[in-house]
Amino acid sequence: MGMARFTDKVVVVTGAASGIGEGAARRFAAEGASLVLNDRNAEGLEALAASLSGTPVETVAGDVSRMADCEAIVARALERFGRLDVLVNNAGVDHLGKLDEGDFSAFTTVIESDVYGVVQMSRAAIAPLRAARGSIVNVSSVSGLGGDWNHSFYCAAKGAVTNFTRALSLDEAKHGVRVNAVNPSLTYTGLTAGMQEQPDLIAEFETRIPMGRGAQPDDIAGPIAFLASEDARFVTGVNLAVDGGLSASNGQPPLR
């Protein structure tokens, strides 16, 4: 890779114990960042931290759906490192199902994690981010750019993240804080494990992605790092589809 764009920078990554969050944490570590990593999975966090030899790392187990936990993550960053340059809002949960299926409490769970978590972490971090003229990168989804079958709760949440990204970027530009999002399509992580157990479903998804496959976490980590870096210093308010071309085709399957 050979880049060290985040030397002397402090990066918070939520949902860092696996998947896209883990990939992002490893990418920032490789580029010289000091890290504050959050997840509900304390053991997974510790395992990740132990594997990042040579990288200054703090771990904060907690749930971003709770404001107090968000404030604790930021407090740890400031206590240990004295600043905060980048916030990656990655933590979230998925939900598959029809509107009238299952227990409606699932909707509350998705909104609290995927929307409240992003808004609360951003609010907790905004003062030190302004001081550092830093940036926020939200992990939204192509489900926040258009609709998906059998996915209405998740689409509602990610649609909110997409437009929150735009609106917050307008308010924070004058403070020097950039706010962007990545919008992945199918990514092979623990979050999509249930889908991956259905080969026919995965195959159907993959036929609709022009590049013919889903993403690996590293495929998303690179664009996250770009948006957080000085290379993107004139980029704000962007929802960047990282989807193998899916949104370019409006999700239409290829002509046979």
Side-chain angles (χ1 to χ4, degrees):
M1 201 175 302
M3 289 186 288
R5 293 179 293 187
F6 298 97
T7 302
D8 301 323
K9 303 290 188 185
V10 178
V11 179
V12 166
V13 182
T14 68
S18 62
I20 292 171
E22 179 184 352
R26 293 189 184 282
R27 179 60 180 262
F28 282 111
E31 292 203 37
S34 298
L35 296 175
V36 180
L37 305 178
N38 154 264
D39 203 283
R40 294 184 300 188
N41 176 1
E43 288 182 10
L45 268 187
E46 295 309 322
L48 172 58
S51 74
L52 296 173
S53 58
T55 297
V57 182
E58 287 286 313
T59 60
V60 189
D63 189 335
V64 296
S65 71
R66 295 193 290 260
M67 188 70 196
D69 288 16
C70 297
E71 290 169 345
I73 295 164
V74 174
R76 183 74 63 84
L78 299 179
E79 286 162 13
R80 169 76 188 273
F81 300 114
R83 62 184 293 143
L84 176 55
D85 298 277
V86 177
L87 168 61
V88 179
N89 279 317
N90 168 72
V93 298
D94 194 11
H95 178 267
L96 282 169
K98 302 287 194 300
L99 176 65
D100 56 351
E101 287 176 349
D103 193 312
F104 191 63
S105 65
F107 180 69
T108 303
T109 300
V110 171
I111 294 298
E112 286 182 345
S113 181
D114 297 15
V115 182
Y116 277 56
V118 169
V119 174
Q120 290 175 167
M121 273 305 307
S122 300
R123 181 175 168 113
I126 202 64
L129 286 172
R130 288 170 179 165
R133 298 181 75 81
S135 77
I136 296 172
V137 182
N138 297 323
V139 178
S140 186
S141 171
V142 291
S143 303
L145 300 175
D148 290 317
W149 304 97
N150 206 31
H151 229 153
S152 59
F153 293 177
Y154 186 73
C155 287
K158 291 301 188 179
V161 172
T162 292
N163 223 24
F164 175 71
T165 299
R166 295 186 185 116
L168 190 62
S169 76
L170 302 180
D171 292 342
E172 293 304 319
K174 65 179 179 290
H175 298 293
V177 177
R178 298 181 302 102
V179 185
N180 294 291
V182 291
N183 298 71
S185 56
L186 172 66
T187 306
Y188 303 125
T189 69
L191 197 66
T192 58
M195 295 170 65
Q196 292 177 63
E197 291 168 3
Q198 303 175 60
D200 292 346
L201 179 63
I202 290 292
E204 181 69 21
F205 267 92
E206 289 175 342
T207 63
R208 290 171 182 267
I209 296 171
M211 292 182 74
R213 64 174 179 88
Q216 297 294 336
D218 283 354
D219 296 326
I220 316 301
I224 290 171
F226 162 70
L227 288 171
S229 78
E230 278 297 300
D231 288 338
R233 59 189 170 270
F234 201 57
V235 179
T236 196
V238 163
N239 284 277
L240 178 63
V242 186
D243 65 354
L246 178 70
S247 53
S249 70
N250 280 330
Q252 298 301 312
L255 294 172
R256 300 285 186 236

